[in-house]
Amino acid sequence: MDLSHSIVHLKRKLKPHYGAGKTIGLVPTMGNLHDGHMCLVQESLKDNDCTVVSIFINPLQFNPDEDLATYPKTLDEDTKKLRESGCHYVFIPDTQEIYQGNIDSHTQVYVPGLSKLLCGKTRPGHFEGVATIVNKLLNIVRPHNAYFGLKDYQQFLIVKRMVSDLQIGTRIVGLDTIRDPGGLALSSRNSFLSELEIQKARQLYSSLKQVASALDQGESNFLDLEKQAYNRLTVAGLNPDYFSICNSETLMPATAADLDIVILAAAYLGSVRLIDNLHVSLAPQTQATQVIE
Ligand code: PAF
């Protein structure tokens, strides 16, 4: 496994693959790799001749009051896991290498609409930071396929839109959320949680499942369902940011006409921000047969 800290080094290593018609898969990460990340790596290894994993904690996607300074860093464990997985290249640039000393005046990529909803409301500029770094990584690696976890569903949609709008020739692959046995979505930020907080955090997925089953049973008062779920989270000791039933493509509030729905939630436990979501495909209502006498 080759480790690169510089863009020039990585590009030099990848160059022979383009000429030889080999396929390249990219898994962008911020490190502290868990089973969710490793599933992305496995999928990339299956689909491509070679796999690049990037590890970069991107300051541009953190707000000043967020956890950039304390974001978990486990580089030795991460590289060990990647070596054992059969990953071919690891790209570990520092901020200087990526932003060349001008992070404040750096060009940014903005995906309108989607970026301002849900997490974008509470984390202004976050998705511009994500779109910018993903765009840069795609330009550096030029992968055929890039892999993202669907836990960050809004991020996934934004990256897909960016790639389509900017005609970047990479296929964006979204993979299902990996959960712990109690249903908690795996996330690097879970390492900040105590055992008691983990029990509380599991309420996020339970509440998503409760609402999904209500929708399945034909409940159509979405606002009421959202309010009840929000209150349940508060009672469970979480501090919810939003609980929203949305159209799965636009992330706008779902209407009775929507059949493909995603329920998204974000909540704080202390200073730890947790997000999760659940897809629900509703069967079209069968038309009541009119009896003509
Ligand atoms: O999902 C993440 O870990 C990050 O947002 C990403 C895609 C690696 C960009 O920094």
Side-chain angles (χ1 to χ4, degrees), residues 28-30 56 58 61 130 133-134 148 152 155:
T29 80
M30 299 206 296
F56 177 60
N58 174 33
Q61 69 188 74
V130 170
I133 188 61
V134 173
F148 295 83
D152 298 293
Q155 166 173 284

Side-chain angles (χ1 to χ4, degrees), residues 197-270:
E197 286 173 325
I198 286 178
Q199 302 296 334
K200 287 186 187 175
R202 291 193 172 126
Q203 287 302 314
L204 203 56
Y205 185 49
S206 307
S207 61
L208 291 171
K209 279 200 301 189
Q210 252 174 310
V211 171
S213 105
L215 292 175
D216 252 352
Q217 283 160 25
E219 179 57 70
S220 58
N221 190 336
F222 298 161
L223 278 180
D224 230 41
L225 287 173
E226 288 171 353
K227 264 191 223 148
Q228 286 167 19
Y230 190 101
N231 290 339
R232 273 196 303 274
L233 289 177
T234 312
V235 170
L238 288 98
N239 180 12
D241 177 13
Y242 61 78
F243 192 103
S244 300
I245 302 172
C246 297
N247 174 292
S248 67
E249 278 176 31
T250 62
L251 294 188
M252 294 303 282
T255 67
D258 285 319
L259 296 180
D260 207 47
I261 283 178
V262 62
I263 316 164
L264 303 104
Y268 291 91
L269 251 179

Side-chain angles (χ1 to χ4, degrees), residues 26-46:
L26 170 68
V27 182
T29 80
M30 299 206 296
N32 192 238
L33 304 181
H34 50 62
D35 286 355
H37 296 114
M38 296 317 292
C39 283
L40 304 181
V41 175
Q42 290 307 338
E43 195 69 14
S44 174
L45 287 167
K46 229 174 346 135

Side-chain angles (χ1 to χ4, degrees), residues 73-135:
K73 295 172 193 71
T74 50
L75 206 47
D76 290 346
E77 290 93 321
D78 291 351
T79 45
K80 183 168 181 279
K81 282 183 193 171
L82 291 172
R83 190 165 283 116
E84 284 167 5
S85 75
C87 169
H88 305 91
Y89 299 99
V90 187
F91 179 44
I92 317 172
D94 63 12
T95 304
Q96 170 62 28
E97 181 66 10
I98 291 292
Y99 292 110
Q100 308 292 324
N102 74 343
I103 188 162
D104 294 332
S105 56
H106 198 278
T107 300
Q108 295 196 17
V109 180
Y110 167 53
V111 176
L114 284 173
S115 297
K116 294 290 177 224
L117 306 170
L118 305 168
C119 288
K121 282 192 190 154
T122 318
R123 307 185 68 192
H126 168 68
F127 288 118
E128 285 82 330
V130 170
T132 301
I133 188 61
V134 173
N135 185 281

